[in-house]
Amino acid sequence: MAIDDGPVVVGGGPSGLAAAIELRELGISPVTVIEREREAGGIPRHSDHSGFGLRDLRTVLSGPRYAHRYRELAEEVAVEVLTETMVTEWEGDRSLKVTGPHGRWEIEPPAVVLATGCRERPRSARLVPGSRPAGVMTTATLQQLVHLRHQKVGRRAVIVGAEHVSFSAVATLAHGGASVAGLVTELPRHQSLRAFRAGAAVRYRAPVWSRTKVSAIHGAERVESVELTDVDSGRTRTVDCDLVIFTADWIPDHELAVMAGCELDAGSRGPLIDPALRTTRRGVFAAGNLLHPAETADVCALDGRHVAPAVAAYLRGPGDWPTPVRMTTRAPLAWVAPNLLLSTGHPPPRERFLLRSREFVSRARIQVRQDGRELWSGRVGRLVPGRSAHIPAGWAAGVNPAGGPVIVSVK
């Protein structure tokens, strides 16, 4: 049966594989996943630590084992996974030009699920000056070199960032035989869990230098040192190292969403989506860290399961594409996801809306309003940049579909 006869999922990470598996469970056939890497499974393939699968698989696995399990599940239900294959162009409604090991061809599936994930912002996007030596990379590259290729990457590293993934980079460096000079963040403190910070300090002797930025990287063929600047005083100092690891500061891989004509959210830079994970482009859905960079793998997998019934319903009788109400945020909030609302009151994934803040806020009270009318308010505890908080979804049934945008703010 031709690919054009069934939906195509672009991206073979947890959200993409979970969406494809659930579509097959719902009786949709064929279902094809397009994955640009040599093997499906996404970031967990090279995140060689435990902690994966608790919410979706109800067990705790290592990253590679978790990715392997999803590949097994996809094979069991006859999902076709095309690896080393990329969608390079998008024409018309859903005409996709695809390039893979067997050449270049065009497909026109009845529905598309974008599950392209996100990536860490590299040095070039962060505008860090200096020379251009070897030894500068993101966490994803570091993990691939250490866990997949088993290479020695260097001896001493400076890590830019202090989020969850930054402390994961500390462990990966140790596994690869490198020490950590320190973690650098311009914020007043780290953004991870206290246990992660304490573990890094005790086990790996990795200090966190807050209110500090990397202002230059120096080296000829290889990194030799970095210049650090105190954000408050302007004082500079030099730290010797041969590795610089840029972590977090996530950006969605939204290029295909842009090609498709999907509207993007100004805060997350992912496509606007309603609670059923429909985009603003008819027949195009989205899931995973393309929408909320960056949540854990199991949260993304649950997104994939959540989008499948909406895709199946669309394939069985497209009908009208819903016209939703916009959701917006006010500072210090950066974004909310999902960010469109339906008059049908369709619940979002896990029946919650995710929030992200640009600032630390203790004992935060969130207020949701439309046209001056309060729909919900309540405490969410502590807001931390780079980490999501969430609010319940029950209030969405009270939204006026003919009203103005729904505004989410810190009260």
Side-chain angles (χ1 to χ4, degrees), residues 205-243:
R205 300 181 183 276
V208 174
W209 297 321
S210 59
R211 300 296 293 159
T212 304
K213 68 177 181 179
V214 174
S215 47
I217 297 174
H218 300 301
E221 294 184 0
R222 180 83 190 185
V223 172
E224 298 170 8
S225 66
V226 296
E227 178 188 270
L228 302 183
T229 299
D230 184 285
V231 172
D232 299 315
S233 68
R235 289 193 298 268
T236 63
R237 61 190 174 102
T238 299
V239 174
D240 293 334
C241 61
D242 63 348
L243 281 169

Side-chain angles (χ1 to χ4, degrees), residues 45-386:
R45 292 181 308 117
H46 49 77
S47 298
D48 197 6
H49 57 80
S50 186
F52 292 85
L54 185 60
R55 295 180 180 91
D56 54 337
L57 301 180
R58 302 297 181 186
T59 187
V60 178
L61 301 170
S62 69
R65 184 70 188 94
Y66 176 84
H68 178 73
R69 181 57 183 147
Y70 265 103
R71 291 195 297 271
E72 286 182 332
L73 292 171
E75 184 177 356
E76 288 171 9
V77 296
V79 171
E80 183 174 11
V81 180
L82 304 179
T83 56
E84 297 184 277
T85 304
M86 292 183 63
V87 176
T88 55
E89 290 184 51
W90 190 306
E91 294 182 351
D93 288 339
R94 282 178 302 282
S95 180
L96 310 179
K97 291 188 177 179
V98 180
T99 302
H102 303 295
R104 181 177 169 87
W105 69 100
E106 189 170 317
I107 59 176
E108 193 163 350
V112 176
V113 179
L114 298 176
T116 48
C118 65
R119 62 185 182 271
E120 291 164 302
R121 202 179 298 271
R123 174 192 180 176
S124 56
R126 304 192 202 200
L127 304 178
V128 178
S131 54
R132 297 289 184 268
V136 180
M137 64 190 74
T138 63
T139 312
T141 301
L142 170 70
Q143 290 176 335
Q144 290 187 41
L145 292 175
V146 172
H147 295 310
L148 293 185
R149 302 181 188 177
H150 309 290
Q151 294 183 8
K152 294 289 185 182
V153 290
R155 299 183 306 276
R156 191 167 189 252
V158 167
I159 296 175
V160 183
E163 296 188 26
H164 289 337
V165 70
S166 312
F167 291 96
S168 176
V170 172
T172 302
L173 286 163
H175 185 85
S179 64
V180 176
L183 293 87
V184 178
T185 175
E186 296 184 41
L187 295 171
R189 50 190 177 276
H190 71 88
Q191 299 149 263
S192 188
L193 302 175
R194 292 181 180 178
F196 286 16
R197 168 70 184 92
V202 173
R203 182 174 180 181
Y204 303 112
R205 300 181 183 276
V208 174
W209 297 321
S210 59
R211 300 296 293 159
T212 304
K213 68 177 181 179
V214 174
S215 47
I217 297 174
H218 300 301
E221 294 184 0
R222 180 83 190 185
V223 172
E224 298 170 8
S225 66
V226 296
E227 178 188 270
L228 302 183
T229 299
D230 184 285
V231 172
D232 299 315
S233 68
R235 289 193 298 268
T236 63
R237 61 190 174 102
T238 299
V239 174
D240 293 334
C241 61
D242 63 348
L243 281 169
V244 181
I245 312 298
F246 286 91
T247 68
D249 196 7
W250 305 99
I251 49 175
D253 277 324
H254 61 213
E255 288 79 6
L256 281 179
V258 172
M259 288 183 193
C262 300
E263 289 185 60
L264 300 185
D265 178 70
S268 69
R269 303 304 298 161
L272 292 171
I273 39 93
D274 69 19
L277 304 188
R278 305 176 184 94
T279 71
T280 55
R281 181 69 180 269
R282 183 184 177 88
V284 180
F285 303 77
N289 276 334
L290 173 63
L291 309 176
H292 41 61
E295 294 297 319
T296 57
D298 51 1
V299 169
C300 293
L302 292 177
D303 264 12
R305 289 185 191 173
H306 183 87
V307 75
V311 178
Y314 174 77
L315 292 171
R316 288 167 176 155
D320 294 329
W321 197 252
T323 302
V325 175
R326 287 286 298 268
M327 290 183 70
T328 61
T329 58
R330 295 287 183 266
L333 297 179
W335 52 257
V336 58
N339 33 41
L340 299 174
L341 288 169
L342 297 173
S343 58
T344 57
H346 193 294
R350 300 189 297 149
E351 298 192 3
R352 61 185 64 184
F353 290 88
L354 298 178
L355 301 171
R356 197 69 64 85
S357 174
R358 292 188 175 91
E359 301 174 9
F360 292 93
V361 182
S362 298
R363 294 178 55 79
R365 178 176 287 277
I366 301 298
Q367 184 181 54
V368 182
R369 294 173 297 146
Q370 184 188 34
D371 299 328
R373 177 172 58 99
E374 183 176 277
L375 301 174
W376 182 86
S377 69
R379 291 201 182 278
V380 298
R382 188 167 175 242
L383 296 176
V384 177

